[in-house]
Amino acid sequence: SAVISQKPSRDICQRGTSLTIQCQVDSQVTMMFWYRQQPGQSLTLIATANQGSEATYESGFVIDKFPISRPNLTFSTLTVSNMSPEDSSIYLCSVRGGLHEQYFGPGTRLTVT
Amino acid sequence: AQSVAQPEDQVNVAEGNPLTVKCTYSVSGNPYLFWYVQYPNRGLQFLLKYITGDNLVKGSYGFEAEFNKSQTSFHLKKPSALVSDSALYFCAVRPPNNFNKFYFGSGTKLNVKP
């Protein structure tokens, strides 16, 4: 399985500001995925990030709000822009492992005040 | 539409007793089914999966799950619960025609009391 790290592990931010979350994988992967886990809720896919191309966003998520970079095969960033308290969530990075399952990073716990 | 349901927000069991965490799904075609566990302040850890074959699949930490196609269920089980099993458990389904799209259930908090 892949080892995935995320930075920061948690942050408290003021509304209107932006935060960039980093995701590092210990092996080269084609696709990386960004999920949001709102308090007490399940995981929702934000976008899929391929190296060398624009990220693909799920319904309800837009690039202006959640810009993603994928500069190489082991790294990606997700920015949460112009934050509001509703953006308070855990943000998780994941990669596909083998043929079927996905592996997840430890998450970034964001609180917006 | 694809969906996953975990009907219980919380399951309480005594240590040493068997545990079951329920999951039902709705997906077009033959589903790929997964269980993940999330410990406090940690990411999701993969427990087990059903792709094809034997309906009873075994996974990490002594967990197993039974796929029941007629009932569209994939319940997670363990014969003897440990206090350390206390965590949040997520069922997930992946449609057979999309390798990248996972649908997660709402999660079930498992509390194992000594």
Side-chain angles (χ1 to χ4, degrees):
Chain A
S1 64
V3 176
I4 305 170
S5 60
Q6 287 184 233
K7 287 182 183 179
S9 58
R10 58 178 63 226
D11 207 341
I12 301 172
C13 301
Q14 291 193 341
R15 68 172 69 210
T17 63
S18 297
L19 175 72
T20 295
I21 301 167
Q22 299 178 7
C23 178
Q24 180 78 50
V25 188
D26 69 342
S27 57
Q28 294 185 341
V29 293
T30 306
M31 290 184 175
M32 296 175 78
F33 307 90
W34 286 99
Y35 285 83
R36 181 175 72 183
Q37 184 181 13
Q38 292 179 299
Q41 297 191 29
S42 187
L43 282 76
T44 303
L45 181 64
I46 298 172
T48 302
N50 278 335
Q51 195 268 334
S53 64
E54 292 276 333
T56 302
Y57 289 83
E58 296 296 306
S59 176
F61 297 97
V62 295
I63 187 170
D64 290 346
K65 175 68 175 177
F66 297 101
I68 288 171
S69 79
R70 185 76 204 275
N72 59 53
L73 290 172
T74 63
F75 188 79
S76 177
T77 67
L78 170 77
T79 299
V80 187
S81 304
N82 188 24
M83 287 184 284
S84 67
E86 292 72 36
D87 294 320
S88 298
S89 295
I90 299 173
Y91 292 86
L92 296 128
C93 166
S94 81
V95 302
R96 211 164 80 200
L99 280 178
H100 303 292
E101 59 263 30
Q102 286 194 359
Y103 295 104
F104 289 82
T108 295
R109 186 178 294 269
L110 171 62
T111 302
V112 184
T113 60
Chain B
Q2 334 284 359
S3 65
V4 180
Q6 293 181 241
E8 301 153 318
D9 290 337
Q10 187 165 293
V11 170
N12 299 311
V13 298
E15 188 174 33
N17 283 359
L19 70 87
T20 298
V21 182
K22 295 180 181 176
C23 172
T24 59
Y25 65 89
S26 173
V27 69
S28 303
N30 294 319
Y32 296 167
L33 296 157
F34 305 84
W35 276 101
Y36 286 84
V37 59
Q38 186 177 37
Y39 297 101
N41 301 314
R42 303 276 294 276
L44 273 69
Q45 294 181 32
F46 169 75
L47 272 182
L48 52 78
K49 65 185 177 188
Y50 172 82
I51 305 300
T52 186
D54 194 348
N55 289 344
L56 185 65
V57 294
K58 295 187 184 297
S60 306
Y61 313 120
F63 283 93
E64 56 190 29
E66 186 165 15
F67 170 61
N68 187 318
K69 188 171 184 177
S70 63
Q71 297 185 3
T72 61
S73 68
F74 189 56
H75 300 331
L76 181 70
K77 300 181 180 184
K78 188 172 182 180
S80 178
L82 300 173
V83 172
S84 57
D85 292 330
S86 298
L88 189 57
Y89 290 80
F90 288 97
C91 181
V93 62
R94 203 201 82 198
N97 58 349
N98 190 332
F99 273 68
N100 301 318
K101 186 72 175 178
F102 275 63
Y103 297 88
F104 284 86
S106 54
T108 299
K109 190 170 189 299
L110 174 66
N111 297 312
V112 182
K113 301 266 169 61

